[in-house]
Amino acid sequence: DIGIDLGTANTLIYVSGKGIVLQEPSVVAMDLEEGVPMAVGDDAKLMLGRTPGNIRAVRPLRDGVIADFDAAEQMLKSFIQKCNEGRGIISPRLVVGIPSGVTGVERRAVREAGMAGAREVHLIDEPVAAAIGASLPVTEPIGTMIVDIGGGTTEIAVISLNGIGAIETIQIAGDEQTDAIIEWFKNYH
């Protein structure tokens, strides 16, 4: 029913038959006294670095994996509710894209976070999802290379016969590229 690209910088949600219905920053602002989210996505991003002591605005994902489980769970739950309003999907089935290099514990954390608002959660490696989305021949007995540059990680994979033949994950991605461009402009302009 719902496909989620859970990224370090942004989260995208695709609903079957509707297309991409949500594209917001992966940020959540939590009320520390109540333990509930004050804001998620765009609203929470505005709070980063500007919150009083009883509110904590965080990015729950770091380098493509969940760094703050409670915040990630609340963020996913809020995003699913937001994109499900008026659509009537009760306890949807989810497909969540995750970096291929994550551990079993990290996979379980993503699955459990998704179960907060769904009846089924299936995980797919992000390079495979990207290749399918780009209509590359992932089922053919030929090697297809894909480079998936996210906010926190870059994954380079060779895919053949519906599986990953070789993969390399590096912790340099969009965030570091943005910082490097900013530094260059500061130094030269």
Side-chain angles (χ1 to χ4, degrees):
D1 301 312
I2 297 176
I4 299 177
D5 178 5
L6 190 61
T8 303
N10 295 297
T11 296
L12 283 82
I13 297 184
Y14 172 91
V15 174
S16 183
K18 301 288 184 189
I20 295 174
V21 297
L22 185 130
Q23 182 174 353
E24 294 197 23
S26 299
V27 182
V28 61
M30 298 288 290
D31 181 334
L32 298 177
E33 294 169 1
E34 302 292 325
V36 296
M38 299 272 303
V40 294
D42 290 322
D43 296 334
K45 185 177 181 183
L46 295 173
M47 297 180 180
L48 278 173
R50 300 179 180 98
T51 59
N54 64 327
I55 299 172
R56 180 176 59 110
V58 295
R59 293 182 177 274
L61 289 100
R62 190 168 294 118
D63 299 328
V65 295
I66 294 178
D68 184 336
F69 178 78
D70 293 331
E73 184 177 37
Q74 293 294 336
M75 183 184 74
L76 263 179
K77 195 177 200 178
S78 296
F79 282 161
I80 291 167
Q81 287 173 350
K82 188 185 285 191
C83 73
N84 199 15
E85 290 173 358
R87 291 184 175 79
I89 303 172
I90 299 170
S91 294
R93 295 171 296 177
L94 299 181
V95 174
V96 183
I98 58 169
S100 57
V102 301
T103 66
V105 172
E106 292 165 336
R107 283 181 180 271
R108 195 168 36 256
V110 173
R111 185 173 278 119
E112 287 176 14
M115 288 302 288
R119 72 173 181 260
E120 288 178 39
V121 177
H122 301 278
L123 306 179
I124 184 171
D125 290 330
E126 286 176 349
V128 175
I132 292 169
S135 300
L136 295 175
V138 296
T139 60
E140 302 296 318
I142 58 170
T144 302
M145 178 184 271
I146 187 140
V147 178
D148 180 12
I149 303 172
T153 59
T154 297
E155 293 185 297
I156 302 105
V158 176
I159 300 169
S160 177
L161 296 171
N162 289 325
I164 296 175
I167 186 149
E168 183 70 31
T169 302
I170 57 174
Q171 304 300 324
I172 297 171
D175 291 342
E176 286 79 9
Q177 292 173 0
T178 300
D179 293 342
I181 291 168
I182 290 168
E183 266 315 299
W184 185 85
F185 271 98
K186 281 181 184 177
N187 291 335
Y188 296 101
H189 294 286

